[in-house]
Amino acid sequence: MPSLSPASPLDVPAEPSRTIADRYAAVRARVDAAAIAVGRAPDEVQLLVATKTQDAASVRAVVAAGATLIGENRVQELVAKAPDLADLVADGAVRVHMIGHLQRNKVNQVLATATGVESVDSLALAGALASRCAREGRTLDVMVQVNVSGEESKAGVGPDDASHLSRQVAALEGLRLTGFMTIGANSPDTALVRAGFERLRRIRDEVLASGAPGTGEARELSMGMSGDLEAAIAEGATIVRVGTAVFGARAVAAPVG
C-alpha cells in the first residue's frame, strides 16, 4: 500500500464562511451571556459595532443584521462613508458615534454625520463641539474619555481629572453629557484590566452623585472590546465596542516583488 504524503493546505477543507449577520449574532449572544452571568439583563448592554476599515456596503450589512449603533475611529473614514449611510442615519436606523481621537479642526466634518462623540478628552474640544452645536441649534451626546490604564499610547483625561472635566463639559450649552468611555489596559492580567473598568464606574458614580448641572444623564459606560468585554460587563459596561469579531479579520496585502 503506497504511503500517504502529508496533506497540503489545499487538501484541508476550509472553515465554512460566516456572514456578517452570523458573526454579529454570535457577538450579540456573547454579550448577552456575559450580562446574564453577572445578574444583569442583556438589554442593559448595547453593542457598538466599530467599523474601522470597513466599506459602506459592510456597514449596511451589519445594520441589516440588527446593529443600531456604529462607531468610527477616523474622521476621514467617517466622511468618506457618510453619503452612502445618510439615509440610514436620517431614518434613525443607526446612530453613529465618533470613538477615535478628535482634533478641534475636524469638528465640523464629524458633526455633519455623527450623532455622538465618545472621545471628548479636553475642555477645548468640548468647547469647539458646543460652539458648533449652539450655532446649529442642536444638542450633541458626548462622553468624556478617561485613560484609566495610564498607558501613553491611549488618549483620554487622567482619572484624577475626569470628574472635574465632566462637570465642565456638562455645563456647556449644546452638549448632553451621557457618560464615560475608556480603553482597557493592554495586559493579560484580567484583574488589572477589570480594576480599570471599576475605576471608570466609580468616576461615573461620583459624577452622578454630585448633582452638578447637566450630569444627571451621565449614566453610560462605554468600555470593553473583543478581548475584555466580559470583564467590562461585570463592572457595569452599558456599551461594548467590537469590530473584527463582527466583520472578520482584515485581509493582509500580498508582498510586492
Side-chain angles (χ1 to χ4, degrees), residues 218-235:
R219 297 183 178 86
E220 303 286 4
L221 290 174
S222 177
M223 57 190 194
M225 297 186 287
S226 295
D228 55 17
L229 65 84
E230 282 84 3
I233 290 171
E235 289 299 337

Side-chain angles (χ1 to χ4, degrees), residues 5-195:
S5 59
S8 73
L10 295 179
D11 297 324
V12 178
E15 179 185 353
S17 61
R18 302 181 73 193
T19 66
I20 287 175
D22 292 335
R23 289 190 291 264
Y24 176 81
V27 174
R28 183 65 247 186
R30 181 181 165 195
V31 171
D32 293 352
I36 292 169
V38 293
R40 299 180 61 193
D43 62 6
E44 292 179 16
V45 187
Q46 299 181 73
L47 173 55
L48 178 152
V49 180
T51 53
K52 177 180 177 181
T53 76
Q54 302 300 320
D55 60 18
S58 295
V59 177
R60 295 187 77 91
V62 82
V63 172
T68 58
L69 178 60
I70 63 174
E72 281 290 350
N73 291 76
R74 298 170 179 168
V75 175
Q76 59 268 37
E77 286 195 47
L78 177 65
V79 172
K81 297 171 198 174
D84 292 321
L85 303 178
D87 61 318
L88 298 178
V89 176
D91 292 344
V94 68
R95 291 171 293 136
V96 182
H97 282 190
M98 181 67 193
I99 59 175
H101 180 65
L102 177 59
Q103 297 175 321
R104 280 179 286 169
N105 63 353
K106 303 291 186 181
V107 162
N108 289 352
Q109 293 172 278
V110 167
L111 290 185
T113 300
T115 57
V117 175
E118 297 191 10
S119 49
V120 174
D121 58 3
S122 71
L123 184 58
L125 174 58
L129 290 167
S131 294
R132 173 63 187 265
C133 288
R135 289 199 301 272
E136 295 183 354
R138 64 180 284 193
T139 300
L140 178 73
D141 290 346
V142 298
M143 298 184 197
V144 168
Q145 181 174 0
V146 185
N147 185 351
V148 295
S149 69
E151 296 168 5
E152 293 185 3
S153 61
K154 293 181 171 63
V157 64
D160 292 339
D161 299 318
S163 293
H164 179 63
L165 175 60
S166 66
R167 288 192 289 269
Q168 292 178 305
V169 172
L172 294 174
E173 182 181 356
L175 302 185
R176 179 188 297 113
L177 180 68
T178 61
F180 299 84
M181 184 267 268
T182 198
I183 300 171
N186 183 19
S187 171
D189 185 344
T190 303
L192 177 65
V193 175
R194 184 163 171 170

